[in-house]
Amino acid sequence: MILVGVMIATLWGIGWVMGAPVRARLIMIGILMAGVMIIQLTLPQGHPLREATGSDPRLWLLLVAFAVAVWLYRRGLLWLRDRARPAPDEPASKTGTFGAAELSRYARQIVLREIGGPGQKALKDAKVLIVGAGGLGSPALQYLAGAGLGTIGVIDDDVVDGSNLARQVIHLDARIGDPKVFSAADAIRAQNPFVEVRPYNRRLTEEIATDLIAEYDLVLDGSDNFATRYMVNRVSARLGKPLIAAALTQWEGQISVYDPASGTPCYECVFPEAPDPALVPTCAEAGVLGPLPGVVGAIMAVEAIKAITGAGEGLRGRLMIYDALYAETRTIAVRPRADCPICGHSAPV
Ligand SMILES: [Zn+2]
């Protein structure tokens, strides 16, 4: 009996040292026990081998029965746990079809005639890049994630500052000092686990812009400087990607969809020259109303959804200006310029 116990311990120890899976070790011990049982049941009483492996087969039968009972109990528990766990929606989500939880989440939007099932599917399949996780990027990100946009990339090299929180409501007080894209990505994952969010904690430079923008179907520019706006416009126009760009000052915001591939102007057609930086006060100098980026960023999300689903009339060829102080909205027509260095006839091909 002691001999068999030592053999079991040795088999287990060898398996452990070799890193063999538990299942393999149990099979080896099972074979050993089967051998012991054969010896006990076939050899006559008093045989030295039978004596060495324990004299009474009933003791072994009891031990084996106990081991089988423990195994069956464990299997039963696992089976019950699997039955109690609801089927996850995640795999269905990855294959491009909607699970029940997703359908219920987007039900109010799917009911809209202009969106419907095909529009919701187009949103799920779409990839949008958001430049800037600040005032405009944050609400655009939140509403696009809420609406079921499949893949959202967000690029920014800034960290959350206490002075951001009055308007960049995606970021929490506890995240001050953290990179904005990671704070935003965590918020989006908590908001909608069906959305794939890709944070890029770096500045969008000319070197990486082409490769990055090429991965996406649509670009939303909520950056806070003219150099980035012109560069995003240049690269998006070259790649034929529609660009939704917005900007804010104090009480006023403006937004348009720039899509020269569809015969409408690019950003540089409408704003051919960046104003002298000395004459343009920054948000920090001029101030900005807290909810204003929320309004204009949400319009960016609306225009993105329309561009992806083909619903309604987008802001291609139109510039929308929202004046919060006087509660007025104006929309003016904008035209492509033949001499635009980016999209005009003289533009380099
Ligand atoms: Zn142009």
Side-chain angles (χ1 to χ4, degrees), residues 233 237 260 264-270 335-337 339-344:
N233 175 63
T264 52
C266 79
Y267 179 81
E268 200 157 327
C269 290
V270 181
R335 282 177 230 299
R337 285 192 303 117
D339 61 344
C340 171
I342 305 303
C343 71

Side-chain angles (χ1 to χ4, degrees), residues 50-64:
R50 187 169 164 176
E51 290 296 319
T53 54
S55 50
D56 193 348
R58 281 174 301 183
L59 193 64
W60 287 116
L61 274 175
L62 208 66
L63 268 174
V64 170

Side-chain angles (χ1 to χ4, degrees), residues 42-305:
T42 52
L43 295 181
Q45 190 94 37
H47 192 283
L49 210 51
R50 187 169 164 176
E51 290 296 319
T53 54
S55 50
D56 193 348
R58 281 174 301 183
L59 193 64
W60 287 116
L61 274 175
L62 208 66
L63 268 174
V64 170
F66 178 72
V68 169
V70 169
W71 181 77
L72 282 175
Y73 177 72
R74 280 180 53 104
R75 294 290 303 181
L77 276 185
L78 285 173
W79 179 76
L80 280 174
R81 206 173 64 191
D82 282 347
R83 270 175 61 99
R85 193 183 299 151
D89 276 303
E90 214 63 34
S93 173
K94 295 281 189 275
T95 56
T97 54
F98 291 103
E102 270 185 293
L103 281 177
S104 141
R105 180 180 284 254
Y106 309 128
R108 306 292 185 278
Q109 195 166 269
I110 295 172
V111 165
L112 296 175
R113 185 171 50 85
E114 293 82 0
I115 293 188
Q120 194 64 49
K121 176 77 166 56
L123 289 174
K124 189 183 177 73
D125 293 340
K127 293 179 177 175
V128 169
L129 178 69
I130 299 182
V131 181
L136 290 163
S138 301
L141 192 57
Q142 286 173 301
Y143 276 108
L144 287 179
L149 218 295
T151 307
I152 308 176
V154 56
I155 181 161
D156 199 314
D157 67 341
D158 211 358
V159 295
V160 179
D161 184 84
S163 66
N164 302 144
L165 303 182
R167 43 186 199 291
Q168 302 175 19
V169 294
I170 199 170
H171 305 300
L172 301 177
D173 190 74
R175 302 303 295 263
I176 290 175
D178 286 358
K180 281 186 179 178
V181 288
F182 296 143
S183 159
D186 288 346
I188 293 309
R189 288 180 189 124
Q191 180 193 350
N192 187 350
F194 299 106
V195 170
E196 184 189 339
V197 54
R198 300 176 181 169
Y200 306 99
N201 182 28
R202 58 189 299 183
R203 192 164 193 82
L204 184 62
T205 57
E206 194 92 43
E207 294 77 54
I208 62 167
T210 302
D211 286 345
L212 187 63
I213 290 175
E215 284 181 38
Y216 292 86
D217 308 313
L218 179 67
V219 183
L220 267 60
D221 184 8
S223 62
D224 57 359
N225 66 86
F226 283 98
T228 304
R229 279 182 212 150
Y230 282 108
M231 189 252 291
V232 170
N233 175 63
R234 196 161 55 238
V235 176
S236 302
R238 195 171 61 229
L239 295 172
K241 310 276 181 176
L243 165 68
I244 299 174
L248 307 167
T249 49
Q250 296 186 321
W251 291 84
E252 198 176 89
Q254 43 102 337
I255 172 173
S256 185
V257 180
Y258 303 101
D259 187 16
S262 70
T264 52
C266 79
Y267 179 81
E268 200 157 327
C269 290
V270 181
F271 302 98
E273 267 178 63
D276 186 337
L279 300 176
V280 184
T282 63
C283 274
E285 293 159 354
V288 61
L289 183 73
L292 181 65
V295 174
V296 182
I299 298 175
M300 291 177 92
V302 169
E303 289 303 314
I305 291 172

